[in-house]
Amino acid sequence: MALSCDSPLLLWKQMSRTVMMYEELFTIVGYVYAGKILLSLTITIVRELRVIFRSRFWPIDLVSRYGKWAVVTGSTDGIGKAYAQELARRGLNIFLISRNPEKLKKVADEIELEFGVETKILDVDFSLSRDIYPRIASHLEGIEVGILVNNVGFLNETAMPFSRMCEDDLWKLIKINIAAATMMSKIILPAMIKEKKGAVVNISSVAGMHPLPMIAVYSATKAYLYYFSEALRRECRSSKITIQTLTPGYVNTNLISTSSYLRRGGLSIPRAGKYVRHAIATLGVVDTTCGYWIHELQLWFASLFPRYIISEVCMYLQAFLYKDTKPE
Ligand SMILES: NC(=O)c1ccc[n+]([C@@H]2O[C@H](COP(=O)([O-])OP(=O)(O)OC[C@H]3O[C@@H](n4cnc5c(N)ncnc54)[C@H](OP(=O)(O)O)[C@@H]3O)[C@@H](O)[C@H]2O)c1
Ligand SMILES: *[C@@H]1O[C@H](CO)[C@@H](O)[C@H](O)[C@H]1NC(C)=O
Ligand SMILES: *[C@@H]1O[C@H](CO)[C@@H](O)[C@H](O)[C@H]1NC(C)=O
């Protein structure tokens, strides 16, 4: 009799002990996970603070650390133009490479007048074939290049599914986003390695850190830059060359101007000048960065979710940003 009364009680006790054990286990797992999130957030914040501190109190003298000249590709507008101006402010002579000779001359004159440095210009269309590179190499002969900014990049004015993209655009993406950065580095890096001095800045994109539907090819070309730079950084470690990968989020330039929402700007979509002031402060301090603290926080937030969720969300985000975009 006593047994039949006792046994459900015993069972209940045993069960609740098991539940308690699991509860403890889950609590521990919860703490570990929360700890991991907190740690990554702390690392992100400390990194950003370090950059701000360094640039405020021990700014790096870019000329003596890297060299006298900076080469910037795609330097007549947006991020590239802002880089050229900001590097000139730091005392570097600027070699500007873009497509349009008039725009080049105008930007070069402005820079000489405002910052009193030397400039050179070269009009090159990076969407053309391989023959453009010997010409670039010959113009760069004898110039001691300290900093190369691989900035030129292409993105069709509207996002669309891969199958709707025209062939011309596909080749342009590959030539401008991949070939230009690769070939420019091929021209300039060997001398830097010999001198054991120099910096290469590759402008990738957050779009290269997650596979993004609707801008699939752009996203993949930027992933190429991201991987290439990281591998090269290890190769060049002993020659003390800085190889930096910048992965900006949205920056308010012509590149994104067809989206009326993005064009409005805001704290998370800075103008090129503001973006580049932040980004240059990271040169020589961190090797892979968004270059802008809000973008860094956005990336941290995205890192909390699995990749497929980010990709899915981004697909609908593109559709929202570029009104006529629909998945097929
Ligand atoms: N804006 C963003 O939200 C954002 C975000 C992440 C990454 N990025 C990356 O940042 C880089 C710069 O973008 P941006 O927003 O500053 O672009 P942008 O404002 O459109 O400027 C592009 C620059 O490149 C030049 N250029 C364009 N096509 C060229 C070609 N075929 N040959 C030579 N020069 C050419 C343009 O000058 P000409 O017209 O005179 O040739 C212009 O100076 C790109 O690599 C882009 O992918 C931008
Ligand atoms: C963007 O894509 C459309 C459709 O393929 C094309 O007609 C247009 O010329 C492209 N724009 C640029 C700047 O290449
Ligand atoms: C990025 O930086 C390295 C450093 O020179 C360069 O060789 C590479 O070609 C650049 N661009 C790419 C394609 O990653």
Side-chain angles (χ1 to χ4, degrees):
M1 205 59 191
L3 199 75
S4 67
C5 241
D6 241 327
S7 95
L9 197 72
L10 209 73
L11 206 71
W12 172 248
K13 269 190 183 158
Q14 229 161 25
M15 248 169 66
S16 64
R17 224 187 342 244
T18 321
V19 167
M20 257 160 64
M21 222 174 70
Y22 274 115
E23 215 176 84
E24 257 166 53
L25 194 72
F26 280 127
T27 313
I28 291 171
V29 170
Y31 275 128
V32 169
Y33 192 65
K36 198 181 137 212
I37 291 177
L38 232 95
L39 184 71
S40 73
L41 180 62
T42 313
I43 290 174
T44 304
I45 292 174
V46 167
R47 254 173 50 140
E48 289 308 298
L49 287 176
R50 193 163 74 105
V51 169
I52 294 170
F53 243 71
R54 267 304 288 263
S55 60
R56 244 333 110 75
F57 299 108
W58 301 278
I60 295 172
D61 180 353
L62 296 179
V63 174
S64 64
R65 170 126 173 219
Y66 296 125
K68 195 66 200 127
W69 281 86
V71 175
V72 186
T73 64
S75 47
T76 43
D77 241 319
I79 297 174
K81 182 178 172 187
Y83 247 101
Q85 291 170 328
E86 217 38 49
L87 289 171
R89 190 193 308 282
R90 302 281 207 99
L92 279 102
N93 296 330
I94 310 291
F95 196 112
L96 301 144
I97 307 180
S98 265
R99 215 170 9 183
N100 181 324
E102 285 90 54
K103 270 166 84 182
L104 274 167
K105 176 137 190 5
K106 186 163 163 282
V107 174
D109 287 347
E110 278 170 21
I111 287 179
E112 285 194 5
L113 198 71
E114 191 171 350
F115 305 108
V117 296
E118 273 180 68
T119 63
K120 285 184 198 291
I121 57 176
L122 184 62
D123 58 302
V124 170
D125 184 343
F126 285 110
S127 67
L128 300 180
S129 68
R130 201 173 149 183
D131 323 332
I132 56 176
Y133 294 102
R135 183 167 152 249
I136 298 177
S138 74
H139 276 83
L140 282 169
E141 223 162 276
I143 294 176
E144 183 214 337
V145 180
I147 300 179
L148 166 64
V149 184
N150 282 320
N151 164 75
V152 70
F154 169 69
L155 173 67
N156 189 292
E157 62 270 8
T158 153
M160 65 182 95
F162 174 71
S163 65
R164 283 214 334 248
M165 289 187 66
C166 59
E167 253 184 53
D168 275 356
D169 272 14
L170 295 177
W171 280 116
K172 261 168 97 176
L173 278 163
I174 291 169
K175 282 187 196 154
I176 298 177
N177 297 9
I178 294 182
T182 311
M183 294 309 292
M184 287 305 296
S185 304
K186 179 72 185 149
I187 293 172
I188 289 173
L189 200 63
M192 286 184 176
I193 291 175
K194 219 166 102 204
E195 296 290 322
K196 289 191 182 304
K197 198 164 126 173
V200 180
V201 180
N202 286 323
I203 315 269
S204 173
S205 168
V206 280
M209 309 184 84
H210 290 279
L212 297 189
M214 298 300 150
I215 49 170
V217 181
Y218 177 81
S219 168
T221 61
K222 292 298 181 180
Y224 169 89
L225 288 181
Y226 185 78
Y227 269 52
F228 193 30
S229 304
E230 189 162 328
L232 214 72
R233 185 173 308 131
R234 306 237 185 285
E235 275 183 32
C236 297
R237 194 163 41 194
S238 64
S239 52
K240 299 205 173 57
I241 293 172
T242 302
I243 291 176
Q244 190 187 40
T245 318
L246 278 188
T247 55
Y250 284 119
V251 180
N252 199 351
T253 67
N254 288 337
L255 198 74
I256 58 165
S257 60
T258 45
S259 163
S260 57
Y261 178 80
L262 293 175
R263 206 172 44 224
R264 270 187 275 162
L267 196 60
S268 67
I269 311 174
R271 286 181 185 289
K274 181 173 178 189
Y275 170 75
V276 168
R277 269 194 301 283
H278 281 267
I280 283 194
T282 67
L283 185 58
V285 188
V286 276
D287 287 335
T288 302
T289 168
C290 295
Y292 183 58
W293 62 279
I294 295 184
H295 293 166
E296 204 67 54
L297 284 180
Q298 286 172 337
L299 197 63
W300 168 79
F301 185 70
S303 75
L304 301 179
F305 301 94
R307 176 180 267 192
Y308 69 91
I309 292 186
I310 302 289
S311 271
E312 197 67 23
V313 169
C314 283
M315 182 148 82
Y316 290 99
L317 188 69
Q318 293 296 331
F320 167 72
L321 294 175
Y322 299 89
K323 291 281 180 307
D324 56 345
T325 306
K326 278 195 198 67
E328 278 176 339

